[in-house]
Amino acid sequence: MQNTPFSTNKTLNINGRLIDLSVPRVMGILNVTPDSFYDGGWFVAERALLEQAEKMLEEGADFLDVGGYSSRPGAAEISEEEEKSRTIKGISAISKNFPGTIISADTFRSGVAEAAVEAGASMINDIAGGNLDINMLTTVARLQVPYIFMHMKGSPQTMTRQTGYTNLLKEILDYFHEKLQVLRELGVKDVVIDPGFGFSKTIEQNFRIARNLEKFSILGKPVLVGLSRKSMIWKTLGISPDGALNGTTALNMVALLKGADILRVHDVKEARELIKLFTSLQVEGSI
């Protein structure tokens, strides 16, 4: 695989605001769904959503990621209209009550992405990298918003049956390389990659990606890591998602040491503390 022509930037241009990623950032997860694997149903009501948004912002979240479609393994399919209704309601409420908040819309549907940006979102976070909606990449290019795209095979309904790889790391890197070429040709300037922990990967494969996370730097783009309370942690430890915060923090430190730029988390305070310790480790040079 040849190197990518993309620049090795550590910034995101969000509505004219240049966000520096030389120090890692925190993205708070806000699922407005009844069935997400950890926080399903918690923030469906607007008051609960706004209380959690305020808490995350006070604790230091740089971005809030609002999603109306549960992507946990085997999650029920919902219509685009249902997803759009949930997502737009959440984004509109946050935009109104917390002006200036950088909101990411977690969706793989171009129609939801477009409506989300109209409602106040300024980033798109797509678990499918355009593979589940042929209009997504051109829509993002037209909207000119930063695009986070993840590696996944299949869909949330089928991904657990699609964990076969001949060469795991090479296949994921090739996937990103090819998508980045398309995005560059479409004129998408701000792109973040997400290796997709837990999506079409076994527990062992997830740990292999974590051990080799630094290899994704060859792509020259910021890396988002979403490890928060995932099954690779709680199944390995023999606990539940409720008890997986300590394991999340441990693996997030590994991710930072291996070059992660954004941590996508349910627990903002702990992630912010982790980043402070991580940056303190680097004060005198190399870690």
Side-chain angles (χ1 to χ4, degrees), residues 11-109:
T11 60
L12 291 175
N13 187 334
I14 302 178
N15 290 335
R17 295 165 60 184
L18 201 62
I19 306 300
D20 181 14
L21 299 178
S22 61
V23 174
R25 299 284 184 162
V26 175
M27 174 176 282
I29 301 168
L30 278 173
N31 289 314
V32 286
T33 59
D35 57 345
S36 291
F37 80 93
Y38 173 63
D39 56 359
W42 293 2
F43 311 122
V44 173
E46 184 173 308
R47 181 175 178 180
L49 174 71
L50 291 175
E51 287 176 353
Q52 182 69 358
E54 183 176 31
K55 178 176 182 286
M56 285 182 162
L57 292 170
E58 288 177 349
E59 291 178 349
D62 300 289
F63 320 106
L64 296 181
D65 192 39
V66 178
Y69 183 109
S70 175
S71 57
R72 66 177 175 80
E77 175 77 16
I78 64 169
S79 69
E80 180 169 335
E81 287 309 309
E82 176 65 19
E83 181 192 357
K84 187 181 296 184
S85 174
R86 294 175 183 176
T87 305
I88 301 314
K89 180 181 177 182
I91 290 171
S92 297
I94 295 169
S95 295
K96 178 181 177 181
N97 287 273
F98 306 105
T101 299
I102 300 175
I103 303 171
S104 167
D106 181 2
T107 183
F108 58 81
R109 289 167 165 157

Side-chain angles (χ1 to χ4, degrees), residues 141-194:
R142 177 166 47 79
L143 294 171
Q144 282 298 299
V145 294
Y147 183 53
I148 304 165
F149 74 103
M150 192 183 76
H151 174 269
M152 175 181 68
K153 295 198 295 184
S155 68
Q157 291 74 33
T158 66
M159 63 183 179
T160 57
R161 302 190 297 273
Q162 300 196 42
T163 58
Y165 300 87
T166 301
N167 186 323
L168 176 70
L169 293 171
K170 182 180 184 300
E171 288 176 42
I172 297 174
L173 284 167
D174 285 347
Y175 164 88
F176 283 128
H177 180 73
E178 291 165 8
K179 290 284 184 182
L180 286 170
Q181 292 282 18
V182 173
L183 289 163
R184 181 178 66 84
E185 291 167 5
L186 288 171
V188 179
K189 298 180 177 63
D190 293 274
V191 182
V192 178
I193 63 171
D194 176 354

